[in-house]
């Protein structure tokens, strides 16, 4: 789904850049409310994990592969605003360091892959968890459906952008059918990865899943050997959730270290076995002629271009080292951004003008 330079004309690319910049600005403000003491330490890790899993292309059809977009996963784990920032950080690192996704198309990619996927996924997810039984399994099922729908939504968004500013004359119907068709299949892979990851986290630390907060299972009483719902609170909105028991710091640290280790293994080892087939957009572009005016990437001479380390001839070692570097850079960049946002929130929450104690 990474749009390269030359697919979309300059005016529409600029317009998409303005939309993306506005979305990132809104997300920076919204993330201040999401990045509390539990979410803030994990947000950079989520970005790094998405980077790592995006290296794992999986086959979806003859000669076509797909990979995680990550908007649904990020939104459910750390919140929709922070999710937009997570995917945006990943796209920025990929474009600058690995020549993956055009630099002039960065606005298009953020709009399609970060904003659309996150907004669609989180809206679907929240709608489902409100109507399904208040159980952990419902969160996982909701994550699966939300992720599955977010990918064809992104394909539809790209088709719309192409319809306005495409640089080639290809019938829109052919592009729409091909893009949505293949990305429905990719969406199933996205859904499986998202549901598995959310399920794994919620099994050990449900308090770290942003999308599962506020879900309270109905109180049931055993009457005559049967479970029946207790009478509902006449004013539930006035009844706060009970204060959660404090969680030892080492448990959060263990989750963080486990996530980091998984990201390094996926990017540094498992990525070598990923499908080498072109992904959905690349395949459609080649088949339909959308790539007729594609341009060479501005960072094509980067020492990490195409997810390999320049000067290392062994493919396994080169790709693995590039993946490890990518995870490290992404977690550093993401943590820096989220730390700054968190600090801004802390500063705003501090009482202004409080009198100093005299000595």
């Amino acid at each position: 789904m990474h749009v390269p330079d030359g697919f979309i004309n300059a005016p529409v690319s600029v317009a998409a850049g303005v939309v993306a910049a506005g979305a990132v600005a809104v997300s920076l403000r919204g993330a201040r409310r999401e990045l509390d003491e539990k979410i803030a330490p994990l947000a950079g890790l989520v970005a790094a994990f998405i980077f790592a899993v995006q290296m794992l292309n999986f086959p979806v059809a003859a000669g076509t592969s797909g990979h995680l977009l990550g908007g649904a996963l990020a939104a459910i784990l750390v919140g929709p605003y922070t999710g937009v920032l997570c995917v945006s950080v990943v796209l920025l690192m990929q474009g600058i360091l690995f020549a993956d996704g055009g630099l002039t198309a960065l606005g298009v990619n953020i709009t399609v892959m970060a904003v659309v996927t996150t907004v669609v996924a989180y809206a679907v997810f929240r709608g489902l968890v409100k109507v399904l039984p208040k159980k952990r399994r419902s969160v996982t099922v909701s994550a699966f459906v939300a992720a599955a729908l977010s990918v064809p939504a992104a394909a539809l968004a790209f088709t719309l952008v192409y319809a306005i500013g495409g640089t080639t004359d290809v019938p829109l119907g052919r592009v729409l059918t091909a893009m949505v068709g293949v990305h429905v299949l990719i969406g199933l892979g996205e859904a499986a990865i998202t549901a598995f990851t959310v399920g794994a986290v919620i099994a050990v630390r449900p308090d770290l899943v942003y999308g599962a907060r506020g879900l309270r299972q109905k109180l049931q009483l055993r009457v005559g050997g049967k479970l029946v719902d207790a009478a509902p609170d006449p004013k539930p909105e006035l009844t706060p959730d009970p204060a959660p028991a404090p969680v030892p710091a080492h448990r959060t640290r263990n989750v963080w270290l486990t996530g980091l280790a998984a990201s390094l293994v996926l990017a540094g080892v498992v990525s070598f076995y990923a499908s080498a087939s072109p992904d959905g957009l690349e395949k459609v572009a080649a088949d339909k002629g959308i790539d007729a005016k594609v341009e060479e990437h501005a960072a094509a001479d980067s020492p990490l271009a195409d997810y390999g380390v320049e000067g290392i001839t062994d493919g396994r070692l080169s790709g693995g080292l590039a993946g490890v570097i990518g995870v490290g850079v992404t977690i550093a960049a993401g943590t820096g951004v989220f730390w700054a946002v968190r600090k801004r929130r802390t500063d705003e929450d501090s009482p202004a003008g409080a009198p100093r104690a005299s000595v």
Side-chain angles (χ1 to χ4, degrees):
M1 185 68 76
H2 293 77
V3 180
D5 297 317
F7 275 25
I8 307 299
N9 64 30
V12 174
S13 295
V14 171
V18 172
V19 172
V24 169
V26 170
S27 297
L28 285 169
R29 293 185 62 85
R32 296 177 196 171
R33 300 190 297 271
E34 297 172 347
L35 291 169
D36 57 20
E37 65 281 356
K38 291 183 179 180
I39 297 298
L42 298 177
L45 175 63
V46 170
F49 183 77
I50 290 173
F51 173 90
V53 180
Q54 282 197 3
M55 294 183 66
L56 309 180
N57 281 47
F58 49 85
V60 295
T64 309
S65 70
H67 63 70
L68 182 82
L69 299 186
L73 178 61
I76 296 168
L77 288 181
V78 294
Y81 294 108
T82 307
V84 170
L85 299 179
C86 282
V87 181
S88 298
V89 167
V90 172
L91 293 172
L92 182 62
M93 296 300 101
Q94 289 171 332
I96 293 175
L97 298 178
F98 298 93
D100 189 8
L103 296 183
T104 63
L106 183 61
V108 175
N109 285 321
I110 289 177
T111 300
V112 171
M113 295 180 63
V115 179
V116 172
T117 57
T118 301
V119 170
V120 170
Y122 199 71
V124 172
F125 175 82
R126 291 303 302 174
L128 288 174
V129 295
K130 287 182 179 180
V131 300
L132 293 176
K134 302 299 186 289
K135 299 180 179 179
R136 293 180 181 180
R137 182 180 302 174
S138 297
V139 175
T140 306
V141 171
S142 300
F144 184 95
V145 176
L149 294 178
S150 70
V151 177
L156 190 61
F158 166 78
T159 305
L160 177 60
V161 173
Y162 174 80
I164 300 172
T167 57
T168 54
D169 187 17
V170 178
L172 186 60
R174 293 170 56 189
V175 177
L176 176 63
T177 301
M179 282 294 294
V180 174
V182 71
H183 284 90
V184 165
L185 299 177
I186 294 174
L188 296 177
E190 176 107 7
I193 296 170
T194 301
F196 176 81
T197 305
V198 171
V201 177
I202 207 171
V204 294
R205 287 291 303 275
D207 58 306
L208 295 182
V209 179
Y210 181 91
R213 293 183 175 183
L215 299 179
R216 300 173 63 186
Q217 190 166 350
K218 292 181 179 179
L219 176 63
Q220 293 185 314
L221 303 176
R222 185 173 296 277
V223 179
K226 296 182 179 180
L227 288 175
V228 297
D229 291 340
D233 189 334
K235 293 183 179 181
E237 70 278 3
L238 299 181
T239 304
D241 287 341
V247 178
H250 73 271
R251 289 189 59 189
T252 299
R253 183 171 61 250
N254 289 344
V255 171
W256 195 92
L257 291 174
T258 300
L260 177 60
S263 300
L264 293 172
V265 170
L266 291 173
V269 180
V270 181
S271 62
F272 179 78
Y273 303 97
S275 172
S277 299
D279 66 23
L281 177 58
E282 292 173 331
K283 179 65 173 176
V284 171
D287 290 348
K288 306 302 179 185
I290 299 176
D291 60 354
K293 296 185 179 180
V294 67
E295 300 173 2
E296 184 180 14
H297 200 286
D301 57 350
S302 165
L304 297 173
D306 297 325
Y307 297 94
V309 178
E310 186 178 13
I312 299 180
T313 57
D314 183 274
R316 185 190 297 263
L317 178 59
S318 178
L321 183 56
V324 169
I325 293 172
V327 168
V329 171
T330 302
I331 200 170
T335 300
V337 169
F338 300 127
W339 179 86
V341 174
R342 169 68 176 163
K343 185 176 184 299
R344 181 71 177 271
R345 166 180 166 159
T346 303
D347 292 344
E348 289 181 349
D349 289 345
S350 301
R356 296 181 180 179
S358 58
V359 180

